Amino acid sequence: MMTTDAWSEAFREAGALAVTRPDYKRTGLELSAHLPPESLIKAAERLYSEGFSLLFITTADFSEGFLVTYVFDSFTEHKRLALRVLAGDRKDPRVPSIAHIFQGAEWHERESYDFYGVIFEGNPNLVPILFPGDDPIPPPHPKSQEAIASIRKLGFLGEAEWAVAGWELAPEPAKPAAEAKPAAKPADKPAAEAKPADKPVAEAKPADKPAAEAKPAAEAKPADKPAAEAKPAADKSAAEAKPAADKPADGGKEGGK
Amino acid sequence: MSNFTFLNPFAVLDEPGTYMGDFFSNNFAKKAQAGNVILNLGPQHPSTHGVLRVIVELYGEYVLRSEPILGYLHRSHEKMAEHKTAYGFLPNMGRVDYLNAIGWNWAYTAACEQLAGIEPPERAEYLRVIAAELNRIASHLVWWGAFVLDLGAFTPILYAFDDREWICDILQRVTGSRLTMNYFRFGGVGADGDDRFFSLIREFIPLMRERLKMYKALVTDNVILRRRLEGIGPMDADLCLRYGATGPLVRAAGVPRDVRKSVPYGIYDRFDYNIPVSPVNDNFGRYWVRMEEISESLKIVEQAVERIPPGKIIVDKAPKPAWKLPPGESVYSVEGARGEICVHVISDGGKSPYRVKLRAPGFSNLSVFAEAAQGTILADAIAILGSLDLVIPEIDR
């Protein structure tokens, strides 16, 4: 039987990016480990060897990507542990399957595949489970652009007791309301942004309209200015300036299988 | 073994105009061996108690491979939760599993209470236990009647429904409904039990104990039933662990795991009762565990009715229908009639929960079937399916 501290150490060895210890009284979880996809199988194998069983898999849609949470509990003692993997690419979310360790995971993974279109690589039978197979429908669960939230907003990732240096699952979104608004004013050139492609700025909705207005080709040149501006203050306004943060939110809607 | 050659209707898939079966039967047939029969049970098959479909590959009468096909009763409960307030989602919980509505009531309510830090008053806790245990008995009774019906005995289900009627009458007094009960509220329960409620329970307990003796003499000790159960469908602890099976399945596999004991939620640590653990892990083990659980639940109800204190049934300033969940996440498990019911709530502090995951015990329990039924004869596979105590709306959600 392993203590929670020992599990923290074990996940670290398995290659976790960060380990957090949520408040058990409030969340019902003793330990939560954030793993890169490639470490998931190693951690799952460890859990199996210690007599843990997979309770369920929750997939949730965030602006950072699909957060896949595996909740385990032991048969002999009560200890609820969670493994989390972020499938960041919304167009092609991929997570390795653990169905060869916990055969019960096959169905849970297929359910996530149905609802969100997350592809579990190595699942022996990745076909719809609750939805019709003859008449495939696009996954209905991804959030709309208005409803989607950032993982950071939930606040349960805050207190990592240990993390890889510089690791951040949900980078600071640069004080969206306060800073994005002045930038959005038509008079302000940076609002137009370098690439018209990343028009929908997820965190600063009011920015959308003026940005669309101010798009004319004339802006194309001054574009390098805001880019230069963004660099020095990378830590703060990075999320705004980086197309990577917003673009996937676009593609998630049609996210076909 | 067989001199007959069975034409495999799915083997001619590639030829235009000869398409047969649907996506799932064709998908299943891809791995079939030539000459074997592929049989489709359900979704309207009487042995599956609802719209469950199972495709089996048979060699003679032996099941080589099988695959349950789900989704015929999928109602998107999880997605519905994202469009209602936390409070507005409560009635859905009575509809996830129609035989164990109170178990689901408890899991969801408590998950939200845990996140918000609400503690229900003492009397509400007792009422919750009484309702949950009575509901467990009702659920086991229906399972018992239907399972024995699968095996060919028609009479027991009539007795079972007779007893269940008592429980419906009792729970109707507090919940207002007989099937899709919506009794729990955030911070307590919806209504207090009146004198008639408690006097009915006091009448019911000795009556049920007498009936259990009769059930044993009539059904459990019946040699035909024993032949159908004993030694059929063994499921060991490792199988349950790999598939995440819970509830009577693991207790029949010799693992004393019951959420009421291992994580005493509510006030379950105050009662004196046992967790039945079977020495045999076959169909009869699962049958025995559930029958024992009925008498253990009666013990709990008896103690709760004796000890219930007067007082409030809901906290002051209980959440109103427009109440917003605080941001964060919460996982809460309760022991339902079929196994561990778990609700995972993720909230961003908005009007409705951000994500609600419902962990149905039947979903994981059914996933065991394909491996457990391998190599048995078809009639035994039906018996194994019945021993899992499936309620399809819960599996499909």
Side-chain angles (χ1 to χ4, degrees):
Chain A
M1 263 173 218
M2 285 167 73
T3 60
T4 312
D5 291 329
W7 273 113
S8 176
E9 192 60 37
F11 289 140
R12 203 170 154 173
E13 272 168 29
L17 292 168
V19 177
T20 63
R21 203 171 292 207
D23 176 10
Y24 178 77
K25 280 245 149 60
R26 197 154 172 268
T27 62
L29 291 173
E30 302 221 358
L31 202 69
S32 139
H34 303 270
L35 302 159
E38 59 273 16
S39 302
L40 176 66
I41 288 172
K42 208 174 162 199
E45 272 166 355
R46 189 74 204 271
L47 283 160
Y48 175 65
S49 68
E50 295 290 334
F52 274 73
S53 170
L54 177 73
L55 271 185
F56 60 87
I57 297 176
T58 308
T59 306
D61 186 14
F62 293 104
S63 49
E64 289 86 355
F66 296 110
L67 185 68
V68 187
T69 305
Y70 301 73
V71 179
F72 294 86
D73 204 341
S74 165
F75 265 16
T76 44
E77 44 164 350
H78 170 66
K79 193 174 281 296
R80 221 181 272 135
L81 310 173
L83 301 182
R84 295 183 206 273
V85 176
L86 184 71
D89 184 357
R90 296 183 64 98
K91 287 228 175 80
D92 185 27
R94 281 173 190 274
V95 174
S97 168
I98 56 165
H100 62 289
I101 308 163
F102 294 99
Q103 276 78 7
E106 181 194 323
W107 283 19
H108 292 285
E109 289 173 355
R110 281 167 66 187
E111 196 185 300
S112 286
Y113 169 68
D114 266 358
F115 287 171
Y116 293 95
V118 177
I119 292 164
F120 290 87
E121 287 172 306
N123 186 309
N125 190 22
L126 196 64
V127 295
I129 189 163
L130 294 177
F131 290 160
D134 284 315
D135 213 0
I137 55 170
H141 274 233
K143 296 265 183 186
S144 63
Q145 282 226 3
E146 302 82 60
I148 202 157
S150 163
I151 299 182
R152 180 166 290 275
K153 208 175 163 192
L154 274 86
F156 64 83
L157 302 173
E159 350 66 48
E161 69 167 22
W162 171 86
V164 167
W167 175 82
E168 224 171 342
L169 183 59
E172 185 84 50
K175 291 191 183 147
E179 267 187 36
K181 250 182 215 157
K185 267 175 198 158
D188 238 326
K189 270 175 195 159
E193 285 297 78
K195 291 153 217 152
D198 36 42
K199 179 178 47 181
V201 180
E203 303 90 338
K205 236 199 292 153
D208 283 4
K209 244 193 252 161
E213 273 171 6
K215 220 191 299 163
E219 301 293 286
K221 227 184 171 185
D224 39 23
K225 210 173 143 197
E229 208 178 81
K231 241 178 237 161
D235 48 312
K236 271 204 160 177
S237 59
E240 244 183 273
K242 236 195 269 163
D246 315 325
K247 236 196 210 155
D250 231 0
K253 248 187 185 166
E254 57 257 19
K257 298 181 188 175
Chain B
M1 194 177 190
S2 162
N3 292 325
F4 300 100
T5 309
F6 290 98
L7 281 179
N8 182 355
F10 307 111
V12 287
L13 249 185
D14 296 335
E15 294 170 33
T18 55
Y19 184 84
M20 288 181 79
D22 74 336
F23 173 84
F24 291 107
S25 41
N26 289 316
N27 184 47
F28 183 78
K30 274 183 208 155
K31 288 181 197 158
Q33 295 167 25
N36 290 334
V37 172
I38 291 175
L39 187 67
N40 184 66
L41 307 171
Q44 263 77 30
H45 193 270
S47 74
T48 56
H49 310 291
V51 282
L52 171 68
R53 176 177 161 202
V54 182
I55 309 179
V56 290
E57 181 183 345
L58 297 174
Y59 180 77
E61 218 182 327
Y62 289 88
V63 175
L64 294 187
R65 219 155 53 86
S66 59
E67 185 185 350
I69 309 294
L70 319 178
Y72 292 92
L73 214 50
H74 177 59
R75 289 148 297 161
S76 285
H77 277 298
E78 293 178 8
K79 189 69 182 167
M80 263 189 253
E82 296 173 17
H83 292 278
K84 295 173 175 224
T85 60
Y87 195 96
F89 189 57
L90 277 174
N92 284 57
M93 289 295 103
R95 287 152 177 84
V96 176
D97 177 353
Y98 55 83
L99 291 182
N100 191 23
I102 299 290
W104 281 94
N105 267 242
W106 198 329
Y108 175 67
T109 317
C112 294
E113 283 172 355
Q114 177 176 263
L115 184 59
I118 301 171
E119 289 221 353
E122 193 91 330
R123 188 175 172 84
E125 292 274 28
Y126 275 90
L127 284 167
R128 283 180 175 192
V129 168
I130 293 170
E133 293 308 315
L134 286 173
N135 202 210
R136 187 188 315 278
I137 296 171
S139 173
H140 281 354
L141 282 172
V142 174
W143 163 79
W144 177 75
F147 180 45
V148 181
L149 185 65
D150 281 352
L151 304 178
F154 188 77
T155 319
I157 196 168
L158 301 175
Y159 286 110
F161 269 72
D162 190 17
D163 292 339
R164 177 173 171 271
E165 197 66 17
W166 272 84
I167 299 175
C168 287
D169 286 344
I170 294 168
L171 289 179
Q172 187 185 2
R173 293 199 73 80
V174 287
T175 66
S177 50
R178 298 167 67 85
L179 195 71
T180 55
M181 290 171 262
N182 174 24
Y183 183 41
F184 287 28
R185 301 288 181 275
F186 299 129
V189 292
D192 202 351
D194 55 3
D195 291 345
R196 179 99 178 108
F197 173 74
F198 290 109
S199 67
L200 273 173
I201 294 174
R202 288 200 184 91
E203 225 174 304
F204 170 72
I205 292 170
L207 183 138
M208 189 67 225
R209 286 193 173 132
E210 281 306 307
R211 295 286 276 215
L212 282 175
K213 280 182 205 156
M214 188 262 274
Y215 291 170
K216 185 170 184 301
L218 180 71
V219 180
T220 313
D221 291 345
N222 182 304
V223 66
I224 304 173
L225 182 96
R226 291 295 189 99
R227 288 280 171 85
R228 290 300 304 277
L229 301 185
E230 283 175 353
I232 310 290
M235 296 177 196
D236 58 17
D238 182 59
L239 182 78
C240 293
L241 188 134
R242 285 186 285 116
Y243 281 92
T246 48
L249 268 69
V250 285
R251 293 196 283 278
V255 181
R257 173 156 171 81
D258 186 310
V259 189
R260 292 174 295 175
K261 283 273 190 204
S262 63
V263 202
Y265 59 93
I267 51 165
Y268 273 111
D269 48 351
R270 299 189 201 168
F271 301 109
D272 176 28
Y273 62 102
N274 302 317
I275 299 299
V277 176
S278 165
V280 286
N281 61 7
D282 53 9
N283 276 352
F284 186 72
R286 294 186 282 279
Y287 176 97
W288 181 85
V289 163
R290 292 199 182 93
M291 295 314 272
E292 288 299 306
E293 277 182 17
I294 296 181
S295 37
E296 296 301 323
S297 290
L298 285 173
K299 276 192 210 167
I300 300 175
V301 175
E302 194 174 34
Q303 294 166 46
V305 171
E306 290 314 312
R307 294 186 207 159
I308 186 166
K312 290 183 294 190
I313 57 155
I314 194 159
V315 289
D316 298 326
K317 292 186 185 161
K320 297 266 189 312
W323 177 65
K324 285 179 185 168
L325 274 173
E329 69 166 344
S330 166
V331 180
Y332 201 93
S333 287
V334 304
E335 186 69 28
R338 267 156 280 287
E340 188 166 348
I341 297 173
C342 200
V343 173
H344 184 185
V345 178
I346 298 177
S347 167
D348 62 348
K351 258 193 294 188
S352 30
Y354 193 76
R355 173 86 167 97
V356 175
K357 165 74 189 178
L358 308 173
R359 191 258 183 206
F363 187 82
S364 298
N365 289 358
L366 176 58
S367 65
V368 178
F369 175 75
E371 191 169 329
Q374 210 168 18
T376 63
I377 60 171
L378 185 59
D380 284 345
I382 298 295
I384 295 169
L385 202 61
S387 79
L388 299 176
D389 188 7
L390 303 171
V391 170
I392 310 306
E394 177 208 47
I395 295 169
D396 287 353
R397 286 157 288 142

